[in-house]
Amino acid sequence: MGAAAFSYGKYYLTQVNPERFTVTGLEKPVLAPFGAVLELSCQLSPPQNAQHMEIRWFRTHYTQPINLYEDGKDLFGKIIPKYVERTELLKDAIGEGKVTLRIFNVNPDDDGHYHCIFKDGKFYEEHITEVKVIAGSSRVQILVHPPTTKGVIVECHSRGWFPQPHLEWRDSRGGVIPAASKSHSRNEDKFFDMKMTLLLRDSSLRNVTCCIWNRLTGQEESTSIVLPVEMFSWNFIWKMIVGVILTMMTLFIIIPSIKLRILEGKYIFRMGEAKWERERDLILPYTSFGNAQFDLDGMWLDDMTLILSMLMVFYFIIFFQDFIVFFQEQIAK
């Protein structure tokens, strides 16, 4: 069989006669818990002595080994710094062509693919193993914000997950509730810190559960909370307060206006009885001025009435918005 050339960065290898041996190992991804000791094995097939061979483990670049065995000894000085004193090559079965790479104190940086190469002269073969680092948190917290005019906002927090977990809100029957928002960040250890919020508009969904789980391991953590009905009364109370304020403003404007017009009528009536004809020349200028003043008051009252009417319409629109939203949701269902 002809020769084939392969390149890893600037390092070139020539593969000759690939029937001499193959390298086998784990085919499925290996789950590695955070902080644990990870062991990855690879084996020559057919079995044969590999003490004279070069055995190289690397991640993404051939020239950056995480462990290197050559000329019958370990070459620790050639491995990349972050794996110094973190790896060990077990060679108990090297006479049969089997070695095991041991990695201590697994962390999120160890997630990914690992290449195991056996090289005999110019001939080599490799096996690639995928490692999935996993970490979960048993601490799930729910934070409740003070009620606002829009409703009650609840937040779910959980730290220290890897890889990024799945989050969802559930109601008392286990149904999924759409979240208002979802976000995540990475801490100094490169773990995922998760955050999810939910806006509750009424007491029908006051019993909620925050669920977080790791899809790789199936680990699920959850926390439930039951909000008191009184928290949702604020949505009604603030509207009642606004309504009372608008009503009082309206009364303060209308009542003085009514009194003013009553006094105007009484004044005109009394002046008619007090020798209207005899004091006509004296009274008319005064009453003309008084009528002009009343006209100005009427214009001012008309403007205030228009403004208050608009405020009242706006208030009732806000007051019934929850009912309208609820009605539309029922129609959509």
Side-chain angles (χ1 to χ4, degrees):
M1 186 174 293
F6 296 89
S7 171
Y8 291 95
K10 296 182 179 179
Y11 196 98
Y12 291 87
L13 296 175
T14 302
Q15 184 175 352
V16 183
N17 188 13
E19 297 177 357
R20 290 177 59 178
F21 60 77
T22 59
V23 180
T24 61
L26 296 172
E27 298 297 334
K28 295 182 178 180
V30 179
L31 300 182
F34 170 73
V37 177
L38 172 64
E39 292 188 353
L40 304 175
S41 298
C42 55
Q43 167 80 52
L44 289 178
S45 180
Q48 54 188 284
N49 191 348
Q51 289 181 334
H52 64 287
M53 298 183 186
E54 175 187 315
I55 304 174
R56 180 185 297 255
W57 288 84
F58 68 95
R59 297 290 307 278
T60 56
H61 300 285
Y62 179 86
T63 57
Q64 298 178 2
I66 62 175
N67 190 279
L68 181 59
Y69 173 86
E70 189 177 5
D71 297 329
K73 58 184 178 181
D74 296 306
L75 302 180
F76 299 107
K78 292 187 178 182
I79 66 177
I80 58 179
K82 69 178 181 179
Y83 283 98
V84 173
E85 298 183 355
R86 284 191 60 221
T87 63
E88 177 185 7
L89 189 65
L90 305 181
K91 302 179 286 292
D92 297 340
I94 195 172
E96 300 174 0
K98 180 180 180 180
V99 294
T100 299
L101 177 68
R102 178 177 289 172
I103 303 176
F104 301 95
N105 193 24
V106 172
N107 61 67
D109 282 336
D110 298 324
D111 190 83
H113 293 87
Y114 289 76
H115 298 250
C116 171
I117 286 186
F118 283 82
K119 181 172 177 286
D120 186 8
K122 292 184 179 181
F123 177 80
Y124 77 96
E125 281 288 347
E126 73 170 355
H127 177 77
I128 303 175
T129 304
E130 183 179 6
V131 172
K132 292 184 177 294
V133 178
I134 55 175
S137 174
S138 59
R139 188 177 183 182
V140 181
Q141 294 180 318
I142 294 181
L143 174 64
V144 181
H145 289 263
T148 65
T149 57
K150 295 183 179 180
V152 181
I153 297 177
V154 292
E155 290 184 358
C156 179
H157 296 264
S158 189
R159 299 175 179 272
W161 290 85
F162 194 90
Q164 183 178 338
H166 180 77
L167 297 85
E168 66 183 23
W169 289 103
R170 297 177 187 168
D171 58 24
S172 57
R173 298 181 179 180
V176 178
I177 308 173
S181 65
K182 294 181 181 180
S183 62
H184 69 270
S185 60
R186 311 245 348 226
N187 58 29
E188 61 276 5
D189 295 323
K190 298 187 178 179
F191 290 119
F192 288 91
D193 296 336
M194 309 303 299
K195 176 183 176 182
M196 178 173 60
T197 62
L198 178 65
L199 175 62
L200 301 176
R201 297 181 181 276
D202 55 70
S203 58
S204 62
L205 290 176
R206 63 192 186 93
N207 186 350
V208 294
T209 301
C210 175
C211 300
I212 304 178
W213 74 85
N214 189 323
R215 293 176 175 176
L216 290 178
T217 63
Q219 176 192 1
E220 179 176 327
E221 302 293 340
S222 62
T223 297
S224 300
I225 188 172
V226 180
L227 300 176
V229 179
E230 291 76 14
M231 294 197 69
F232 298 92
S233 62
W234 284 96
N235 197 28
F236 175 76
I237 291 174
W238 80 267
K239 294 175 182 178
M240 291 297 297
I241 293 174
V242 173
V244 170
I245 293 174
L246 290 177
T247 302
M248 295 301 294
M249 291 176 61
T250 303
L251 293 176
F252 282 135
I253 297 300
I254 292 177
I255 291 176
S257 174
I258 293 174
K259 289 183 176 180
L260 191 61
R261 293 191 180 276
I262 291 173
L263 291 175
E264 178 186 5
K266 289 183 177 179
Y267 175 77
I268 295 174
F269 178 76
R270 288 177 180 177
M271 292 302 294
E273 290 183 345
K275 298 180 181 180
W276 176 265
E277 295 295 337
R278 187 168 57 86
E279 300 178 0
R280 186 173 186 178
D281 295 337
L282 179 63
I283 295 174
L284 282 178
Y286 179 77
T287 55
S288 297
F289 172 78
N291 289 333
Q293 183 65 36
F294 285 131
D295 290 339
L296 291 175
D297 292 338
M299 294 175 61
W300 178 74
L301 290 172
D302 290 340
D303 292 339
M304 289 303 300
T305 302
L306 178 61
I307 294 173
L308 288 174
S309 299
M310 294 177 65
L311 289 175
M312 290 295 291
V313 171
F314 179 72
Y315 163 72
F316 282 112
I317 290 175
I318 294 177
F319 185 81
F320 289 107
Q321 68 177 351
D322 289 342
F323 174 77
I324 295 173
V325 171
F326 174 78
F327 184 71
Q328 291 176 343
E329 290 177 351
Q330 295 301 316
I331 295 176
K333 292 180 179 179

